[in-house]
């Protein structure tokens, strides 16, 4: 997932939810508002995290990529359980496997076009450059 897809996805959800209220009938304005809000939120969270020592970050944060969940959901959940010091039990695995069977990836495919929301890929990539370089660059 890239930054412009994420902003387009959030714009899609919020535009559907707010269209009834008429506040954002202009999806371009909505996507710009969302991008500005998310940028501020992400930068605040990154500032908070980066103020910690590397060791403190290691014990307080587990970075999980969306692609990790898509490609290897069970292995990723095992990492989360391990990080949280929870036991991965046969019941947990069974529940996860049942959930995955009931929610196939193909069933929930959404397609978002950045252009449909007036999102300029270069602007978004510049806006989220700090986040992209830390979490999404060539992993």
């Amino acid at each position: 997932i890239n930054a412009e897809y994420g902003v387009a996805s959030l714009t899609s959800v919020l535009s559907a939810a707010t269209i009834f209220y008429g506040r954002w009938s202009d999806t371009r304005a909505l996507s710009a508002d969302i991008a500005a809000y998310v940028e501020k939120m992400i930068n605040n969270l990154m500032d908070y995290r980066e103020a910690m020592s590397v060791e403190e970050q290691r014990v307080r944060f587990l970075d999980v990529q969306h692609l990790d969940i898509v490609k290897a959901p069970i292995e990723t959940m095992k990492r989360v359980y391990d990080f949280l010091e929870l036991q991965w039990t046969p019941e947990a695995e069974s529940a996860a496997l049942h959930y995955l069977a009931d929610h196939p990836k193909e069933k929930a495919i959404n397609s978002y076009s950045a252009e449909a929301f007036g999102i300029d890929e270069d602007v978004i990539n510049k806006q989220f450059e700090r986040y992209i370089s830390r979490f999404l660059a060539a992993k």
Side-chain angles (χ1 to χ4, degrees):
I1 289 189
N2 55 33
E4 66 272 10
Y5 182 89
V7 172
S9 173
L10 190 52
T11 300
S12 175
V13 169
L14 291 177
S15 65
T18 62
I19 198 86
F20 299 107
Y21 301 104
R23 179 163 181 206
W24 287 299
S25 57
D26 178 2
T27 55
R28 289 176 188 267
L30 176 60
S31 66
D33 287 350
I34 289 168
Y37 176 78
V38 172
E39 177 189 21
K40 183 177 180 179
M41 179 184 64
I42 285 173
N43 283 328
N44 286 340
L45 290 170
M46 289 182 73
D47 289 345
Y48 173 76
R49 180 177 178 166
E50 290 168 1
M52 296 176 188
S53 70
V54 173
E55 178 59 22
E56 189 176 7
Q57 288 183 48
R58 189 187 67 72
V59 298
R60 293 189 68 185
F61 295 97
L62 173 67
D63 296 322
V64 177
Q65 296 282 329
H66 178 263
L67 202 52
D68 296 341
I69 297 168
V70 171
K71 286 187 172 183
I74 298 298
E75 292 78 8
T76 303
M77 286 304 302
K78 286 179 180 180
R79 278 183 45 225
V80 171
Y81 267 62
D82 185 54
F83 180 79
L84 296 172
E85 299 178 352
L86 298 173
Q87 186 178 4
W88 182 258
T89 64
E91 293 81 14
E93 184 152 350
S94 177
L97 290 170
H98 280 93
Y99 178 87
L100 292 170
D102 290 344
H103 300 85
K105 287 183 275 190
E106 299 78 24
K107 186 176 172 183
I109 293 177
N110 294 311
S111 178
Y112 302 104
S113 161
E115 296 81 30
F117 297 105
I119 297 169
D120 182 309
E121 180 178 350
D122 293 332
V123 170
I124 293 294
N125 286 335
K126 177 81 172 136
Q127 203 168 3
F128 293 96
E129 184 174 15
R130 181 180 176 198
Y131 177 84
I132 291 167
S133 67
R134 167 94 189 236
F135 297 107
L136 302 180
K139 294 237 174 193

